[in-house]
Amino acid sequence: MTLPRLLQRTALAATALIALAGAALADATEAPGQFPASFRTQEIPTNGTTIHVRVGGTGPAVVLLHGYGDTGDMWVPLAAKLSANHTVIVPDLRGLGLSARADKGFEKANQAEDIAGVMDALGARTAEVVAHDIGNMVAYALAARHSDRVTKLVLMDAPVPGIGPWEEILKNPLLWHFRFGGPDMERLVEGRERIYLDRFWNEFSANPKNFPEAARVHYAQLYAGPGRMHAGFGQFAAFDQDAIDNRAWLAAHGKLTMPVLAIGGGASFGATMAAVTRAGADNVQGLVIDGSGHWLMEEQPAATVAAIDAFLNAPSSR
């Protein structure tokens, strides 16, 4: 894959799902797919905020971290599969979904402490971690700063600030949305969330029809809620500090050593996902999911779930 092609496709999820003007947040509490009835929800105070979490299953813990444009609801098919032999922990990231409204703290090293606090509250000393998009960045920070607590790591179709060719990625004009934020931008997008965000849904799918309309409506309503677009823009505004933090940590402590699966969508990051991940981790397996763009769980859920399940249930090589 050429660098221009990579950069185009890496305009990752600055985004997604989109909000219907005037839609009520309360109408969005039913997910497009439902977690198994055995799952419970819990509001967990941690690190100066409160995180909305779904928990179910039995066995070793696995934490699933969503990206921007989704919430933890994106993981329903994977959570159902893994709950057969894992305790599945599915948070909404700081300020997003049904977590408490947040105005600050979006640096990924700080959000890693949010997740460590969730694990503490649920008695999970260690966990496997599966992440997508912005979730990758939180997961990397968690695995770096709490390497004794993350036993395996799955990163899906997005780079990590400061790791690998990050500066080259930022140069691409297609990534204008990385710098799009602040109060004036929030005012411009208010009531027009779906107009703004549909662009990313559609351009970063292999086939936009594979991202279901029901899911778009669901997430759109959530992202139209008070403070949610502010939190989303805040995730991107923190990238510069994230890059500084990650470079400093990598220089001082070296690469991740736990087993890592780097998954790229065939029409998105592809095999480059593994190459970029190796800049920050030693033990990396690469996998490409054909027929998918950036939105792997929506576009190719069966293949994505099967790949993650196989990796997590394989004997560790660490």
Side-chain angles (χ1 to χ4, degrees):
M1 178 182 289
T2 64
L3 183 59
R5 174 68 167 171
L6 165 63
L7 298 184
Q8 179 182 12
R9 289 299 184 178
T10 357
L12 46 92
T15 98
L17 300 142
I18 38 221
L20 299 175
L25 179 61
D27 294 338
T29 55
E30 293 299 318
Q34 295 297 304
F35 283 87
S38 58
F39 274 61
R40 70 182 190 274
T41 60
Q42 189 169 336
E43 310 305 315
I44 297 181
T46 171
N47 195 31
T49 191
T50 300
I51 300 296
H52 178 78
V53 185
R54 310 114 176 117
V55 186
T58 58
V62 59
V63 177
L64 312 182
L65 299 178
H66 68 89
Y68 182 54
D70 291 296
T71 71
D73 293 331
M74 69 172 280
W75 296 117
V76 166
L78 181 62
K81 176 68 172 178
L82 295 181
S83 64
N85 56 13
H86 285 79
T87 298
V88 183
I89 301 169
V90 189
D92 285 345
L93 294 179
R94 173 180 285 247
L96 297 176
L98 297 179
S99 288
R101 183 169 176 172
D103 294 323
K104 61 183 180 179
F106 301 110
E107 297 80 12
K108 308 311 174 293
N110 185 63
Q111 291 188 81
E113 300 309 313
D114 295 350
I115 305 306
V118 167
M119 291 170 61
D120 290 341
L122 296 173
R125 176 70 188 90
T126 62
E128 299 162 332
V129 178
V130 180
H132 177 246
D133 188 71
I134 296 290
N136 285 3
M137 305 173 188
V138 178
Y140 178 86
L142 179 68
R145 288 157 179 79
H146 297 280
S147 59
D148 60 328
R149 303 193 65 178
V150 177
T151 56
K152 289 185 177 181
L153 180 62
V154 179
L155 301 177
M156 295 168 56
D157 209 75
V160 173
I163 303 300
W166 178 251
E167 294 302 324
E168 293 303 311
I169 291 170
L170 290 181
K171 292 176 183 177
N172 193 288
L174 292 173
L175 302 186
W176 59 268
H177 55 282
F178 279 17
R179 304 295 186 187
F180 189 83
D184 290 338
M185 307 312 176
E186 291 177 38
R187 289 171 53 228
L188 286 171
V189 172
E190 184 177 4
R192 305 175 182 88
E193 292 87 353
R194 183 153 187 168
I195 296 171
Y196 172 63
L197 293 169
D198 253 336
R199 169 184 178 266
F200 303 99
W201 273 107
N202 296 333
E203 290 194 7
F204 301 114
S205 298
N207 181 347
K209 294 180 179 179
N210 288 338
F211 202 118
E213 177 64 17
R216 294 176 183 238
V217 170
H218 170 71
Y219 294 122
Q221 293 175 4
L222 287 170
Y223 275 83
R228 302 308 175 179
M229 288 302 293
H230 173 84
F233 288 141
Q235 298 284 353
F236 294 99
F239 279 2
D240 287 347
Q241 186 60 49
D242 297 336
I244 292 169
D245 292 343
N246 288 334
R247 289 191 193 101
W249 190 273
L250 183 62
H253 301 278
K255 296 181 180 182
L256 303 181
T257 59
M258 73 284 294
V260 179
L261 176 63
I263 302 177
S268 183
F269 225 57
T272 308
M273 184 64 203
V276 170
T277 301
R278 290 187 179 103
D282 282 326
N283 186 0
V284 178
Q285 300 177 37
L287 181 69
V288 175
I289 302 292
D290 292 329
S292 183
H294 177 66
W295 311 101
L296 289 145
M297 284 300 301
E298 289 81 11
E299 297 183 71
Q300 294 294 333
T304 304
V305 167
I308 295 169
D309 181 61
F311 174 73
L312 296 185
N313 286 298
S316 177
S317 59
R318 186 177 183 177

